[in-house]
Amino acid sequence: WSTNLYSLTKQDIPLKFDLKAIQMAKPVLDYIMFAIGALFGKEHVFIDSNQPHILKYSTHDKHTGIRIHHDKCHVTANLMMSKSSEYSGGGYVYL
């Protein structure tokens, strides 16, 4: 789980390294890209070659999150993959 893709997370993996995962994520990614395009009036939406990726947060691994930071993109879409009852904290803010 440690690709060092992003310096702040330390536990991440781009889905491009797992063909089955990217195939499963494709319908969701297509919808997110469509929604972003519709929201911002763009016919074409492009994503970085390392996207999408999964970040793993685990108290077992003593990694519970990342510090406040600015993403280097115009739009970020976050999807929760755990039930909200399975953790505390989290979220994001707009600065």
Side-chain angles (χ1 to χ4, degrees):
W1 269 99
S2 183
T3 63
N4 293 318
L5 179 65
Y6 298 102
S7 61
L8 294 172
T9 59
K10 302 297 182 205
Q11 294 189 32
D12 50 66
I13 188 166
L15 292 188
K16 69 182 180 182
F17 294 139
D18 185 332
L19 183 59
K20 189 172 186 178
I22 196 69
Q23 289 172 339
M24 288 174 40
K26 187 172 179 353
V28 176
L29 182 61
D30 288 346
Y31 179 78
I32 290 170
M33 291 176 64
F34 168 79
I36 289 171
L39 182 64
F40 292 97
K42 299 292 182 183
E43 188 174 334
H44 301 287
V45 175
F46 301 95
I47 60 172
D48 180 87
S49 63
N50 289 319
Q51 307 301 331
H53 66 276
I54 296 175
L55 304 179
K56 179 182 177 186
Y57 302 111
S58 173
T59 56
H60 296 21
D61 298 330
K62 297 182 180 175
H63 187 274
T64 58
I66 58 175
R67 66 180 186 258
I68 292 178
H69 66 282
H70 293 265
D71 288 346
K72 294 180 181 177
C73 54
H74 296 287
V75 178
T76 297
N78 293 305
L79 300 175
M80 179 177 58
M81 296 178 67
S82 300
K83 295 178 183 177
S84 59
S85 62
E86 294 177 347
Y87 64 92
S88 63
Y92 53 91
V93 295
Y94 298 99
L95 301 175

XYZ file of all heavy atoms in Angstrom:
764
model
N 0.803 -1.200 0.000
C 0.000 0.000 0.000
C 0.841 1.257 0.000
O 0.312 2.325 0.169
C -0.906 0.020 1.216
C -2.228 -0.601 0.951
C -2.608 -1.862 1.270
C -3.352 0.001 0.311
N -3.894 -2.076 0.872
C -4.368 -0.952 0.278
C -3.573 1.250 -0.248
C -5.611 -0.698 -0.278
C -4.805 1.502 -0.801
C -5.814 0.546 -0.818
N 2.100 1.166 -0.125
C 2.917 2.365 -0.064
C 3.621 2.589 -1.394
O 4.647 2.002 -1.669
C 3.946 2.254 1.053
O 4.684 3.441 1.143
N 3.045 3.437 -2.220
C 3.667 3.742 -3.506
C 4.421 5.054 -3.457
O 5.127 5.393 -4.381
C 2.612 3.846 -4.616
O 1.737 4.948 -4.318
C 1.820 2.563 -4.754
N 4.220 5.818 -2.379
C 4.786 7.164 -2.264
C 4.349 8.062 -3.418
O 5.074 8.949 -3.835
C 6.307 7.116 -2.155
C 6.756 6.490 -0.859
O 6.176 6.771 0.185
N 7.757 5.634 -0.928
N 3.153 7.790 -3.925
C 2.589 8.613 -4.988
C 2.437 10.058 -4.531
O 2.758 10.987 -5.248
C 1.231 8.030 -5.406
C 0.446 8.749 -6.482
C 1.208 8.695 -7.800
C -0.917 8.102 -6.650
N 1.954 10.213 -3.330
C 1.777 11.551 -2.767
C 2.493 11.615 -1.435
O 2.355 10.724 -0.608
C 0.294 11.871 -2.593
C -0.427 11.875 -3.918
C -1.201 10.800 -4.304
C -0.282 12.943 -4.799
C -1.841 10.794 -5.535
C -0.910 12.938 -6.027
C -1.688 11.867 -6.387
O -2.297 11.852 -7.597
N 3.227 12.664 -1.187
C 4.050 12.757 0.017
C 3.220 12.858 1.290
O 3.691 12.510 2.357
C 4.992 13.956 -0.086
O 4.247 15.150 -0.194
N 1.984 13.325 1.200
C 1.187 13.523 2.406
C 0.488 12.255 2.888
O 0.143 12.146 4.045
C 0.130 14.609 2.174
C 0.666 16.015 1.944
C -0.457 16.936 1.527
C 1.341 16.524 3.196
N 0.262 11.299 2.021
C -0.576 10.171 2.409
C 0.201 8.945 2.842
O -0.194 8.269 3.762
C -1.511 9.768 1.261
O -0.725 9.411 0.135
C -2.467 10.883 0.919
N 1.234 8.609 2.165
C 2.091 7.452 2.452
C 1.422 6.103 2.233
O 2.084 5.100 2.192
C 2.653 7.514 3.885
C 3.448 8.757 4.179
C 4.682 8.847 3.310
C 5.489 10.086 3.662
N 6.291 10.551 2.595
N 0.114 6.058 2.132
C -0.578 4.798 1.877
C -1.585 5.027 0.754
O -2.740 5.338 0.992
C -1.291 4.294 3.131
C -0.335 3.912 4.219
C -1.044 3.225 5.356
O -2.027 2.535 5.169
N -0.532 3.395 6.553
N -1.134 4.883 -0.462
C -1.985 5.138 -1.607
C -1.613 4.197 -2.737
O -0.512 3.667 -2.779
C -1.862 6.588 -2.070
C -0.406 6.999 -2.245
O 0.267 6.448 -3.145
O 0.053 7.851 -1.484
N -2.533 3.999 -3.632
C -2.242 3.177 -4.802
C -3.110 3.647 -5.968
O -4.324 3.771 -5.834
C -2.456 1.676 -4.519
C -1.964 0.827 -5.683
C -3.893 1.377 -4.155
C -1.817 -0.635 -5.359
N -2.491 3.967 -7.104
C -3.277 4.320 -8.283
C -3.980 3.068 -8.820
O -3.393 1.987 -8.855
C -2.238 4.814 -9.292
C -0.971 4.983 -8.535
C -1.057 4.098 -7.341
N -5.208 3.202 -9.221
C -5.946 2.051 -9.735
C -5.387 1.542 -11.054
O -5.624 0.398 -11.419
C -7.426 2.386 -9.893
C -8.196 2.621 -8.606
C -9.681 2.751 -8.912
C -7.951 1.556 -7.583
N -4.594 2.362 -11.749
C -4.047 1.927 -13.036
C -3.151 0.699 -12.888
O -2.886 0.002 -13.851
C -3.288 3.059 -13.721
C -1.998 3.455 -13.020
C -1.342 4.615 -13.741
C -0.058 5.035 -13.053
N 0.542 6.177 -13.725
N -2.694 0.422 -11.663
C -1.857 -0.750 -11.423
C -2.672 -2.015 -11.217
O -2.113 -3.091 -11.069
C -0.944 -0.534 -10.219
C 0.080 0.549 -10.430
C 0.382 1.436 -9.421
C 0.739 0.680 -11.647
C 1.335 2.428 -9.611
C 1.687 1.668 -11.850
C 1.983 2.538 -10.830
N -3.989 -1.897 -11.172
C -4.859 -3.049 -10.936
C -5.992 -3.003 -11.959
O -6.968 -2.280 -11.789
C -5.407 -3.002 -9.511
C -6.229 -4.228 -9.151
O -6.819 -4.847 -10.064
O -6.293 -4.555 -7.959
N -5.855 -3.769 -13.040
C -6.819 -3.730 -14.137
C -8.234 -4.026 -13.666
O -9.189 -3.367 -14.077
C -6.414 -4.709 -15.239
C -7.297 -4.718 -16.482
C -7.337 -3.346 -17.135
C -6.810 -5.766 -17.467
N -8.405 -5.000 -12.795
C -9.738 -5.339 -12.305
C -10.348 -4.172 -11.521
O -11.521 -3.853 -11.681
C -9.680 -6.591 -11.430
C -11.032 -7.127 -11.073
C -10.905 -8.476 -10.377
C -12.283 -9.075 -10.148
N -12.190 -10.397 -9.534
N -9.543 -3.513 -10.697
C -10.029 -2.374 -9.912
C -10.432 -1.224 -10.823
O -11.470 -0.592 -10.610
C -8.972 -1.929 -8.909
N -9.630 -0.936 -11.838
C -9.968 0.175 -12.728
C -11.224 -0.131 -13.532
O -12.043 0.752 -13.781
C -8.784 0.586 -13.639
C -9.021 1.962 -14.262
C -8.505 -0.402 -14.721
C -8.986 3.116 -13.343
N -11.424 -1.381 -13.914
C -12.653 -1.765 -14.625
C -13.864 -1.601 -13.716
O -14.921 -1.156 -14.172
C -12.551 -3.205 -15.135
C -11.588 -3.356 -16.285
C -11.337 -4.809 -16.663
O -11.545 -5.735 -15.886
N -10.877 -5.015 -17.892
N -13.732 -1.946 -12.450
C -14.837 -1.786 -11.509
C -15.131 -0.309 -11.257
O -16.282 0.090 -11.100
C -14.512 -2.484 -10.194
C -14.546 -3.987 -10.289
S -13.994 -4.870 -8.797
C -14.660 -3.935 -7.467
N -14.097 0.514 -11.240
C -14.260 1.935 -10.943
C -14.709 2.747 -12.154
O -15.212 3.857 -11.998
C -12.953 2.506 -10.411
N -14.545 2.227 -13.361
C -14.812 2.994 -14.587
C -16.209 3.608 -14.641
O -16.340 4.794 -14.951
C -14.544 2.162 -15.826
C -14.643 3.000 -17.110
C -14.203 2.248 -18.310
C -14.305 3.028 -19.599
N -14.928 4.311 -19.618
N -17.288 2.865 -14.344
C -18.608 3.508 -14.399
C -18.743 4.681 -13.426
O -19.340 5.703 -13.762
C -19.579 2.379 -14.036
C -18.838 1.120 -14.297
C -17.388 1.435 -14.057
N -18.170 4.543 -12.242
C -18.224 5.628 -11.257
C -17.396 6.805 -11.750
O -17.828 7.960 -11.698
C -17.727 5.139 -9.880
C -17.675 6.279 -8.882
C -18.597 3.996 -9.377
N -16.202 6.535 -12.244
C -15.333 7.588 -12.758
C -15.977 8.308 -13.941
O -15.936 9.537 -14.018
C -13.980 7.000 -13.163
C -12.941 7.983 -13.672
C -12.594 9.017 -12.616
C -11.696 7.247 -14.121
N -16.580 7.561 -14.842
C -17.266 8.177 -15.985
C -18.368 9.121 -15.519
O -18.517 10.221 -16.039
C -17.849 7.108 -16.911
C -16.795 6.353 -17.700
O -15.633 6.810 -17.755
O -17.136 5.291 -18.254
N -19.128 8.699 -14.511
C -20.208 9.547 -14.001
C -19.647 10.799 -13.326
O -20.161 11.898 -13.532
C -21.103 8.781 -13.023
C -22.194 9.665 -12.491
C -23.312 9.952 -13.269
C -22.083 10.252 -11.240
C -24.294 10.806 -12.805
C -23.061 11.104 -10.773
C -24.166 11.378 -11.555
O -25.133 12.229 -11.098
N -18.606 10.639 -12.534
C -17.996 11.788 -11.862
C -17.473 12.785 -12.890
O -17.688 13.995 -12.769
C -16.873 11.346 -10.909
C -17.471 10.618 -9.710
C -16.028 12.536 -10.457
C -16.451 9.946 -8.834
N -16.812 12.292 -13.926
C -16.289 13.183 -14.968
C -17.428 13.882 -15.706
O -17.344 15.073 -16.017
C -15.383 12.411 -15.913
C -14.093 11.977 -15.228
S -13.009 10.968 -16.249
C -12.597 12.099 -17.553
N -18.520 13.163 -15.971
C -19.697 13.769 -16.608
C -20.270 14.865 -15.709
O -20.567 15.971 -16.168
C -20.758 12.700 -16.890
C -22.082 13.285 -17.258
C -22.309 13.761 -18.542
C -23.087 13.372 -16.318
C -23.533 14.317 -18.882
C -24.314 13.935 -16.646
C -24.535 14.409 -17.932
N -20.416 14.562 -14.409
C -20.994 15.533 -13.480
C -20.119 16.776 -13.353
O -20.632 17.900 -13.329
C -21.196 14.878 -12.113
N -18.809 16.602 -13.293
C -17.899 17.747 -13.213
C -18.010 18.588 -14.479
O -18.069 19.814 -14.425
C -16.449 17.278 -12.970
C -16.316 16.738 -11.543
C -15.447 18.412 -13.215
C -14.997 16.050 -11.262
N -18.056 17.930 -15.638
C -18.212 18.655 -16.898
C -19.510 19.439 -16.948
O -19.538 20.597 -17.363
N -20.597 18.806 -16.501
C -21.901 19.486 -16.505
C -21.909 20.655 -15.526
O -22.418 21.740 -15.833
C -23.001 18.485 -16.156
N -21.333 20.459 -14.372
C -21.307 21.500 -13.342
C -20.517 22.725 -13.786
O -20.918 23.859 -13.544
C -20.699 20.932 -12.052
C -20.628 21.871 -10.859
C -22.024 22.273 -10.399
C -19.869 21.210 -9.722
N -19.405 22.502 -14.489
C -18.540 23.601 -14.890
C -18.676 23.982 -16.361
O -17.908 24.793 -16.875
C -17.079 23.271 -14.565
C -16.816 23.228 -13.083
C -16.813 22.028 -12.397
C -16.614 24.405 -12.381
C -16.591 21.989 -11.035
C -16.389 24.382 -11.017
C -16.385 23.169 -10.342
N -19.639 23.375 -17.062
C -19.876 23.719 -18.452
C -18.743 23.326 -19.383
O -18.457 24.035 -20.348
N -18.113 22.199 -19.121
C -17.004 21.728 -19.948
C -17.412 20.468 -20.692
O -17.959 19.539 -20.121
C -15.771 21.411 -19.091
C -15.240 22.593 -18.323
C -14.662 23.624 -19.251
C -14.087 24.797 -18.499
N -13.585 25.819 -19.393
N -17.130 20.442 -21.981
C -17.453 19.268 -22.785
C -16.485 18.121 -22.512
O -16.850 16.957 -22.544
C -17.429 19.634 -24.272
C -17.931 18.533 -25.158
C -18.048 18.967 -26.603
O -18.219 20.174 -26.873
O -17.948 18.092 -27.477
N -15.226 18.460 -22.242
C -14.201 17.445 -21.985
C -13.571 17.678 -20.621
O -13.191 18.797 -20.294
C -13.122 17.482 -23.068
C -13.650 17.240 -24.440
N -14.050 16.004 -24.866
C -13.882 18.090 -25.468
C -14.492 16.091 -26.110
N -14.399 17.348 -26.494
N -13.450 16.624 -19.856
C -12.808 16.671 -18.551
C -11.638 15.689 -18.589
O -11.789 14.551 -19.014
C -13.791 16.275 -17.426
C -13.086 16.203 -16.087
C -14.961 17.257 -17.371
N -10.485 16.148 -18.167
C -9.285 15.317 -18.187
C -8.805 15.081 -16.761
O -8.934 15.944 -15.908
C -8.179 15.999 -19.005
C -8.588 16.268 -20.414
C -9.095 17.503 -20.774
C -8.495 15.276 -21.374
C -9.487 17.756 -22.072
C -8.883 15.518 -22.681
C -9.386 16.759 -23.030
N -8.224 13.903 -16.536
C -7.691 13.604 -15.216
C -6.212 13.246 -15.330
O -5.743 12.803 -16.378
C -8.457 12.457 -14.530
C -8.383 11.167 -15.344
C -9.894 12.855 -14.267
C -8.951 9.963 -14.632
N -5.509 13.447 -14.249
C -4.090 13.125 -14.147
C -3.887 11.624 -14.348
O -4.751 10.819 -14.011
C -3.613 13.568 -12.757
C -2.154 13.288 -12.528
O -1.321 14.136 -12.879
O -1.859 12.205 -11.985
N -2.732 11.232 -14.830
C -2.470 9.813 -15.107
C -2.441 8.952 -13.845
O -2.561 7.734 -13.928
C -1.147 9.658 -15.860
O -0.074 10.101 -15.057
N -2.284 9.556 -12.673
C -2.304 8.795 -11.419
C -3.701 8.683 -10.813
O -3.860 8.179 -9.712
C -1.371 9.432 -10.394
C 0.071 9.245 -10.762
O 0.465 8.178 -11.221
N 0.871 10.272 -10.587
N -4.693 9.163 -11.519
C -6.063 9.134 -11.018
C -6.860 8.063 -11.737
O -6.581 7.775 -12.877
C -6.732 10.490 -11.223
C -5.967 11.644 -10.662
C -5.726 11.538 -9.171
O -6.503 10.943 -8.441
N -4.621 12.090 -8.725
N -7.843 7.483 -11.146
C -8.163 7.630 -9.734
C -7.182 6.828 -8.884
O -6.503 5.942 -9.374
C -9.567 7.048 -9.629
C -9.625 6.025 -10.714
C -8.764 6.576 -11.826
N -7.153 7.151 -7.607
C -6.322 6.394 -6.680
C -7.064 6.235 -5.361
O -8.009 6.950 -5.079
C -4.958 7.059 -6.462
C -5.028 8.380 -5.775
N -5.277 9.546 -6.440
C -4.900 8.708 -4.470
C -5.293 10.548 -5.591
N -5.066 10.077 -4.389
N -6.631 5.265 -4.609
C -7.246 4.983 -3.312
C -6.251 5.354 -2.222
O -5.065 5.032 -2.310
C -7.598 3.487 -3.189
C -8.647 3.103 -4.223
C -8.100 3.176 -1.778
C -8.952 1.617 -4.254
N -6.744 6.029 -1.205
C -5.949 6.335 -0.021
C -6.431 5.439 1.102
O -7.625 5.293 1.310
C -6.126 7.797 0.401
C -5.816 8.843 -0.652
C -6.061 10.232 -0.089
C -4.403 8.705 -1.131
N -5.513 4.844 1.791
C -5.857 3.957 2.898
C -5.540 4.641 4.220
O -4.410 5.058 4.454
C -5.066 2.654 2.793
C -5.336 1.684 3.917
C -4.464 0.439 3.767
C -4.649 -0.514 4.912
N -3.717 -1.632 4.841
N -6.540 4.745 5.078
C -6.358 5.261 6.428
C -6.654 4.116 7.382
O -7.693 3.487 7.287
C -7.307 6.421 6.717
C -7.154 7.565 5.754
C -8.148 7.863 4.835
C -6.006 8.333 5.767
C -7.999 8.915 3.956
C -5.846 9.390 4.880
C -6.854 9.677 3.985
O -6.702 10.715 3.122
N -5.751 3.833 8.283
C -5.936 2.714 9.190
C -5.241 2.989 10.511
O -4.051 3.288 10.535
C -5.383 1.431 8.579
O -5.405 0.378 9.509
N -5.983 2.862 11.603
C -5.359 3.024 12.917
C -4.429 1.859 13.205
O -3.479 1.996 13.970
C -6.411 3.135 14.027
O -7.261 1.978 13.976
C -7.240 4.386 13.861
N -4.652 0.710 12.579
C -3.780 -0.451 12.772
C -2.380 -0.149 12.234
O -1.393 -0.646 12.761
C -4.339 -1.682 12.070
C -5.639 -2.158 12.617
N -6.493 -1.377 13.343
C -6.252 -3.345 12.539
C -7.561 -2.052 13.689
N -7.452 -3.256 13.203
N -2.315 0.632 11.169
C -1.038 1.001 10.567
C -0.508 2.326 11.121
O 0.452 2.874 10.618
C -1.177 1.116 9.049
C -1.568 -0.195 8.399
O -1.208 -1.260 8.933
O -2.246 -0.147 7.357
N -1.186 2.837 12.136
C -0.839 4.122 12.755
C -0.854 5.269 11.747
O -0.103 6.229 11.875
C 0.511 4.034 13.476
C 0.490 3.045 14.609
C 1.806 3.005 15.320
C 1.702 1.969 16.447
N 2.950 1.777 17.128
N -1.693 5.159 10.750
C -1.862 6.232 9.771
C -3.331 6.616 9.772
O -4.165 5.870 9.292
C -1.435 5.784 8.379
C -1.432 6.910 7.402
N -2.552 7.297 6.721
C -0.453 7.755 7.027
C -2.260 8.326 5.954
N -0.990 8.620 6.118
N -3.638 7.746 10.331
C -5.036 8.113 10.511
C -5.476 9.291 9.658
O -6.590 9.764 9.794
C -5.309 8.432 11.984
O -4.436 9.491 12.401
C -5.072 7.207 12.860
N -4.635 9.766 8.786
C -5.054 10.875 7.937
C -3.885 11.700 7.453
O -2.726 11.326 7.616
N -4.210 12.812 6.861
C -3.191 13.712 6.336
C -3.437 15.114 6.861
O -4.536 15.451 7.283
C -3.164 13.705 4.789
C -4.523 14.112 4.222
C -2.777 12.340 4.272
C -4.552 14.245 2.737
N -2.403 15.924 6.838
C -2.553 17.302 7.315
C -3.280 18.136 6.259
O -3.414 17.736 5.107
C -1.193 17.889 7.650
C -0.287 18.071 6.452
C 1.056 18.656 6.888
N 1.868 18.950 5.742
C 2.873 18.204 5.319
N 3.189 17.101 5.941
N 3.570 18.560 4.263
N -3.720 19.297 6.651
C -4.399 20.201 5.729
C -3.457 20.527 4.580
O -2.267 20.798 4.781
C -4.854 21.478 6.444
C -5.966 21.137 7.439
C -5.332 22.514 5.441
C -6.451 22.324 8.243
N -3.980 20.480 3.372
C -3.158 20.723 2.186
C -4.044 21.257 1.065
O -5.265 21.258 1.173
C -2.478 19.428 1.738
C -3.455 18.401 1.255
N -4.211 17.646 2.115
C -3.803 18.019 0.009
C -4.988 16.834 1.420
N -4.770 17.051 0.135
N -3.430 21.683 0.002
C -4.128 22.128 -1.210
C -3.842 21.124 -2.307
O -2.683 20.794 -2.563
C -3.637 23.512 -1.666
C -3.995 24.606 -0.736
N -5.110 25.375 -0.910
C -3.392 25.044 0.396
C -5.184 26.265 0.067
N -4.154 26.086 0.868
N -4.880 20.617 -2.951
C -4.669 19.747 -4.101
C -4.175 20.588 -5.269
O -4.449 21.782 -5.348
C -5.970 19.040 -4.484
C -6.352 17.960 -3.479
O -5.505 17.588 -2.653
O -7.497 17.502 -3.530
N -3.468 19.952 -6.189
C -2.891 20.672 -7.328
C -3.800 20.604 -8.553
O -3.326 20.682 -9.671
C -1.525 20.090 -7.671
C -0.502 20.308 -6.582
C 0.833 19.729 -6.963
C 1.836 19.933 -5.856
N 3.119 19.338 -6.158
N -5.075 20.462 -8.326
C -6.001 20.377 -9.456
C -7.116 21.391 -9.260
O -7.267 21.980 -8.203
C -6.550 18.959 -9.579
S -7.298 18.358 -8.065
N -7.899 21.579 -10.306
C -9.005 22.525 -10.237
C -10.199 21.949 -9.479
O -10.930 22.678 -8.824
C -9.452 22.938 -11.640
C -8.393 23.671 -12.398
N -8.023 24.957 -12.117
C -7.597 23.271 -13.412
C -7.066 25.338 -12.937
N -6.779 24.329 -13.730
N -10.408 20.641 -9.593
C -11.548 19.985 -8.950
C -11.076 18.674 -8.337
O -10.311 17.934 -8.945
C -12.666 19.679 -9.978
C -13.818 18.947 -9.323
C -13.154 20.955 -10.643
N -11.532 18.391 -7.131
C -11.251 17.121 -6.469
C -12.572 16.466 -6.113
O -13.468 17.119 -5.589
C -10.436 17.342 -5.172
O -9.187 17.911 -5.512
C -10.217 16.037 -4.438
N -12.696 15.188 -6.391
C -13.882 14.418 -6.011
C -13.437 13.347 -5.027
O -12.520 12.584 -5.299
C -14.526 13.779 -7.237
N -14.068 13.312 -3.859
C -13.754 12.318 -2.832
C -14.948 11.399 -2.645
O -16.076 11.865 -2.534
C -13.438 13.000 -1.495
C -12.170 13.794 -1.550
O -11.134 13.264 -1.905
N -12.250 15.068 -1.215
N -14.686 10.108 -2.591
C -15.734 9.124 -2.345
C -15.396 8.346 -1.095
O -14.300 7.816 -0.971
C -15.852 8.139 -3.520
C -16.174 8.733 -4.862
C -16.135 7.656 -5.940
C -17.535 9.394 -4.837
N -16.338 8.251 -0.177
C -16.159 7.465 1.029
C -16.406 6.001 0.685
O -17.411 5.660 0.075
C -17.151 7.937 2.093
C -17.069 7.175 3.376
S -18.198 7.810 4.630
C -19.784 7.655 3.832
N -15.477 5.130 1.054
C -15.623 3.708 0.745
C -15.876 2.863 1.987
O -15.935 1.648 1.910
C -14.385 3.225 0.002
C -14.234 3.916 -1.343
S -12.765 3.430 -2.238
C -13.131 1.723 -2.591
N -16.031 3.505 3.128
C -16.351 2.821 4.377
C -17.646 3.402 4.927
O -17.995 4.542 4.633
C -15.249 3.021 5.415
O -14.029 2.526 4.960
N -18.340 2.638 5.726
C -19.528 3.148 6.393
C -19.104 4.205 7.401
O -18.089 4.055 8.081
C -20.260 2.009 7.103
C -20.820 0.977 6.173
C -21.476 -0.133 6.962
C -21.978 -1.216 6.030
N -22.560 -2.349 6.776
N -19.881 5.273 7.502
C -19.515 6.349 8.430
C -19.506 5.871 9.878
O -18.860 6.479 10.728
C -20.458 7.536 8.260
O -21.794 7.143 8.510
N -20.187 4.776 10.169
C -20.176 4.230 11.524
C -18.874 3.494 11.845
O -18.635 3.130 12.990
C -21.361 3.273 11.713
O -21.255 2.179 10.805
N -18.029 3.279 10.847
C -16.789 2.520 11.042
C -15.587 3.398 11.381
O -14.489 2.886 11.553
C -16.481 1.700 9.789
C -17.507 0.613 9.521
C -17.233 -0.158 8.243
O -16.392 0.293 7.432
O -17.871 -1.203 8.050
N -15.775 4.702 11.472
C -14.659 5.590 11.795
C -15.197 6.876 12.396
O -16.405 7.148 12.351
C -13.813 5.897 10.551
C -14.553 6.651 9.485
C -14.524 8.043 9.451
C -15.282 5.983 8.512
C -15.213 8.745 8.478
C -15.973 6.673 7.537
C -15.942 8.045 7.522
O -16.624 8.729 6.559
N -14.309 7.692 12.921
C -14.694 9.008 13.408
C -13.765 10.042 12.787
O -12.659 9.723 12.366
C -14.607 9.061 14.931
O -13.282 8.873 15.356
N -14.238 11.279 12.729
C -13.435 12.340 12.128
C -13.573 12.328 10.625
O -14.554 11.846 10.069
N -12.557 12.827 9.962
C -12.578 12.854 8.509
C -13.264 14.082 7.968
O -13.657 14.983 8.691
N -13.399 14.116 6.674
C -14.035 15.234 6.015
C -13.029 16.138 5.340
O -11.832 15.870 5.328
N -13.526 17.192 4.771
C -12.663 18.147 4.101
C -13.286 19.528 4.225
O -14.469 19.655 4.508
C -12.418 17.780 2.643
C -13.670 17.549 1.845
C -14.272 18.585 1.155
C -14.253 16.286 1.795
C -15.432 18.376 0.439
C -15.420 16.068 1.070
C -15.991 17.114 0.397
O -17.141 16.916 -0.313
N -12.483 20.532 4.051
C -12.942 21.910 4.132
C -12.449 22.670 2.918
O -11.456 22.303 2.299
C -12.442 22.623 5.418
C -13.032 21.981 6.644
C -10.941 22.640 5.497
N -13.159 23.724 2.593
C -12.745 24.614 1.499
C -12.107 25.833 2.140
O -12.667 26.464 3.002
C -13.940 25.031 0.662
C -14.633 23.872 0.004
C -15.788 23.335 0.559
C -14.107 23.309 -1.141
C -16.418 22.248 -0.044
C -14.722 22.225 -1.750
C -15.896 21.712 -1.194
O -16.494 20.647 -1.782
N -10.883 26.116 1.742
C -10.178 27.274 2.299
C -10.179 28.422 1.344
O -10.130 28.295 0.185
C -8.740 26.883 2.649
C -8.610 25.750 3.656
C -7.139 25.371 3.829
C -9.190 26.157 4.994
